[in-house]
C-alpha cells in the first residue's frame, strides 16, 4: 500500500488524483491532503478519504473547517504543506498546487527522500536548478504529471539520453488558437477560460491561451530531462492525441498517444515503473479521429513562448521573474483588472528590467518572486 501526500487536493489535478486513488483502494491510501480555501469541495473529500493530516492556506479557513468537521489536526500555510509531505509514512508526494507556492514543499519532500510526482510546473520554472540538484543529491525520483512530460518520460524508458536528438512537445493551441493577434485586444475572461480539449484550473487555462503554458513546459522539460533548449521543439497539434514525442539520433521518432485525460499521466506517476488498469478513461479510437494535424509554431503570434525560450536560455533568475510576472498578471486578468494582451506586456517589461542573478539560492528566489509580483501589481496604480 502506497501512502500519498496530495497538495492541491481540491483543484483540477487534485480531484482527478483522488479519482485514481478511489479506483485503486488496495494500492493507495491518502495520508495527507492540502488545499487552499475551498472548504465546500474539501469536506466530502475529507469524509471519504479520511487523511491523517489536513492542511489549509490560512487561519480563517482553518477556523471555518474546524467548525464544520471533527478533525484531530488542521495545519496551515507553507509550514503545513511541508508537514504534509515529510511525515514518516508518506511514500509519494503528488504536488498539484498552483504556482511557485509549491517550491518549498517540493524541496523539503526531496530532502525527506520522498518520491515526488510533480504537476506543479511553476516549481521547476522558478527554481529548476535547486530542485534538480536536490533530487540528485538525495537520489530521489521526480516523476512528471504534466501530460507532455509524462509522454516523454514514457518514450525515454529504456533509452539513453545521448541518443536523443530532440524532444517534440505538442501544443493544442488553447482557446484562442484560431484568432489573429488583432482579434485578441477585446477578448474577455470567459472566452479565455473556454479550452477546446482540456478542463483545467483557471490559471493554466489562461496560460494555454497565451501559450505561456507551453513556454513553462519547455523550461520544465529542460530541467527534468537535462537537455539544452535548442533540442526542445514545440509544434501545434490541435487534437491533443499525441502528447509529445522524442526524435532519436537515427531519425526514429517515438510518440505517446491517448485520449486527453489527465488521470493517465497522474496514475502513471503513482504506479511507475508499473502500469495499472484505468477503466474509466476512454480508449483511443483512431478510426473515429481519422486525421491528426500539425502546424509550425508562430513565435510572433505567441510572444509568451518566445519570452519563455529567451528567459530559459538566459537562465539564472530570469525564469523566476518570468514565472512570478506571469502568475501575477494572469491573476490580475482573472480579476478583470487588465486586458488579455496586457499579460504579455507586463511580463516583457519585467524581464527587460531585471538584473539577472546567475545562480540564485532559495532566499534570492523567494525575494525575486515577491518583488516581481509587487512590481507587476503596482502597474494598477
Ligand atoms: P487548480 O487551480 O484547479 O487547483 C489548485 C489547487 O491548489 C487547489 O486545490 C487550491 O486550493 C490549491 N492551492 C492554491 N494555493 C494554495 C496554497 N497557498 N496552499 C495550499 N493549497 C493551495 O489548478 P490545477 O489543478 O489546474 O493545476 C495545478 C498544477 O498542476 C499547476 O501547476 C498546473 O500548471 C499543473 N497542471 C495542471 C493540469 C490540469 O489539467 N489541470 C495539467 C498539467 C499541469 P483551493 O482551490 O481550495 O483554494
Ligand atoms: Mg501540459
Amino acid at each position: 500500500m502506497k501512502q500519498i501526500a496530495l497538495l492541491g487536493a481540491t483543484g483540477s489535478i487534485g480531484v482527478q488524483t483522488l479519482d485514481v486513488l478511489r479506483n485503486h483502494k488496495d494500492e493507495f491510501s491518502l495520508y495527507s491532503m492540502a488545499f487552499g480555501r475551498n472548504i465546500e469541495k474539501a469536506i466530502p473529500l475529507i469524509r471519504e478519504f479520511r487523511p491523517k493530516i489536513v492542511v489549509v492556506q490560512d487561519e480563517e479557513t482553518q477556523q471555518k473547517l474546524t467548525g464544520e468537521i471533527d478533525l484531530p489536526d488542521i495545519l496551515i500555510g507553507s509550514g503545513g504543506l511541508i508537514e504534509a509531505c515529510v511525515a514518516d509514512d508518506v511514500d509519494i508526494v503528488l504536488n498539484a498546487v498552483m504556482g511557485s507556492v509549491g517550491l518549498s514543499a517540493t524541496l523539503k519532500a526531496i530532502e525527506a527522500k520522498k518520491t515526488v510526482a510533480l504537476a506543479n510546473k511553476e516549481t521547476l520554472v522558478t527554481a529548476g536548478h535547486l530542485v534538480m540538484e536536490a533530487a540528485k543529491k538525495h537520489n530521489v525520483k521526480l516523476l512528471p504529471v504534466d501530460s507532455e512530460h509524462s509522454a516523454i518520460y514514457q518514450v525515454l524508458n529504456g533509452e539513453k539520453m545521448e541518443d536523443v536528438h530532440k524532444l517534440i512537445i505538442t501544443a493544442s493551441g488553447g482557446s484562442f488558437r484560431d484568432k489573429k493577434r488583432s482579434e485578441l485586444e477585446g477578448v474577455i475572461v470567459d472566452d479565455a477560460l473556454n479550452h477546446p480539449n482540456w478542463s483545467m484550473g483557471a490559471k493554466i487555462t489562461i496560460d494555454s491561451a497565451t501559450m505561456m503554458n507551453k513556454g513553462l513546459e519547455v523550461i520544465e522539460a529542460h530541467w527534468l530531462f537535462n537537455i539544452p533548449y535548442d533540442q526542445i521543439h514545440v509544434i501545434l497539434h490541435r487534437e491533443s492525441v499525441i502528447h509529445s514525442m522524442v526524435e532519436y539520433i537515427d531519425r526514429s521518432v517515438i510518440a505517446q498517444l491517448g485520449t486527453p485525460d489527465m488521470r493517465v499521466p497522474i496514475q502513471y506517476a503513482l504506479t511507475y515503473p508499473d502500469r495499472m488498469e484505468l477503466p474509466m478513461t476512454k480508449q483511443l479510437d483512431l478510426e473515429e479521429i481519422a486525421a491528426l494535424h500539425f502546424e509550425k509554431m508562430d513565435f510572433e503570434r505567441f510572444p509568451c513562448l518566445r519570452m519563455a525560450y529567451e528567459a530559459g536560455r538566459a537562465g539564472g533568475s530570469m525564469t523566476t521573474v518570468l514565472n512570478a510576472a506571469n502568475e501575477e498578471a494572469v491573476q490580475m486578468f482573472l480579476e478583470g483588472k487588465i486586458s488579455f494582451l496586457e499579460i504579455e506586456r507586463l511580463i516583457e517589461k519585467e524581464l527587460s528590467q531585471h538584473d539577472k542573478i546567475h545562480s540564485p539560492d532559495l532566499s534570492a528566489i523567494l525575494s525575486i518572486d515577491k518583488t516581481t509580483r509587487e512590481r507587476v501589481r503596482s502597474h494598477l496604480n
Side-chain angles (χ1 to χ4, degrees), residues 80-335:
L81 286 179
I82 292 167
E83 292 288 311
C85 298
V86 303
D88 280 347
D89 289 337
V90 169
D91 299 302
I92 304 181
V93 173
L94 196 144
N95 186 350
V97 295
M98 190 281 287
S100 60
V101 66
L103 172 62
S104 299
T106 303
L107 289 171
K108 291 291 177 192
I110 293 171
E111 282 169 27
K113 295 192 179 296
K114 309 295 183 188
T115 297
V116 177
L118 198 63
N120 178 236
K121 63 189 84 177
E122 293 89 353
T123 273
L124 284 174
V125 176
T126 198
H129 61 299
L130 297 183
V131 176
M132 298 318 291
E133 246 169 54
K136 195 170 170 193
K137 179 172 166 199
H138 297 282
N139 196 19
V140 158
K141 273 206 175 57
L142 266 188
L143 297 163
V145 169
D146 214 347
S147 56
E148 295 77 2
H149 306 73
S150 175
I152 293 167
Y153 204 81
Q154 293 180 54
V155 166
L156 289 173
N157 225 341
E159 301 283 350
K160 297 190 202 83
M161 265 325 274
E162 65 256 37
D163 291 342
V164 171
H165 179 60
K166 68 179 180 208
L167 309 181
I168 305 167
I169 299 181
T170 52
S172 69
S175 355
F176 298 144
R177 63 190 182 191
D178 294 317
K179 284 195 190 304
K180 297 194 193 72
R181 277 193 70 74
S182 57
E183 294 172 296
L184 292 176
E185 206 53 70
V187 295
I188 59 167
V189 173
D190 283 350
D191 297 335
L193 286 177
N194 192 13
H195 195 284
N197 301 1
W198 300 91
S199 161
M200 310 181 285
K203 189 260 181 182
I204 184 174
T205 307
I206 303 303
D207 284 348
S208 300
T210 60
M211 205 52 76
M212 183 57 94
N213 183 49
K214 220 38 65 178
L216 302 180
E217 290 182 357
V218 166
I219 300 168
E220 183 185 9
H222 165 77
W223 289 115
L224 274 177
F225 305 114
N226 188 22
I227 189 163
Y229 287 95
D230 288 345
Q231 284 169 265
I232 308 174
H233 187 72
V234 176
I235 56 166
L236 201 67
H237 164 50
R238 300 176 163 258
E239 291 84 5
S240 298
V241 163
I242 295 183
H243 297 309
S244 279
M245 311 175 235
V246 178
E247 182 184 315
Y248 290 92
I249 47 176
D250 60 0
R251 304 284 189 243
S252 183
V253 177
I254 308 183
Q256 187 259 349
L257 287 72
T259 45
D261 184 332
M262 284 308 295
R263 290 173 300 188
V264 178
I266 290 170
Q267 178 170 299
Y268 187 70
L270 295 177
T271 61
Y272 177 86
D274 302 317
R275 291 184 188 270
M276 270 196 244
E277 286 185 17
L278 191 54
M280 63 273 198
T281 292
K282 196 170 169 257
Q283 268 180 297
L284 181 63
D285 185 343
L286 286 174
E287 288 163 2
E288 186 191 327
I289 293 162
L292 297 177
H293 297 85
F294 305 96
E295 291 161 61
K296 192 177 161 65
M297 256 307 163
D298 182 346
F299 284 69
E300 304 273 311
R301 166 67 185 77
F302 296 113
C304 284
L305 183 60
R306 169 184 53 79
M307 288 191 273
Y309 266 104
E310 285 168 4
R313 285 194 169 104
S317 54
M318 292 311 276
T319 56
T320 308
V321 171
L322 176 89
N323 181 68
N326 181 56
E327 280 193 39
E328 200 61 32
V330 169
Q331 183 55 35
M332 282 155 59
F333 173 67
L334 287 169
E335 290 166 8

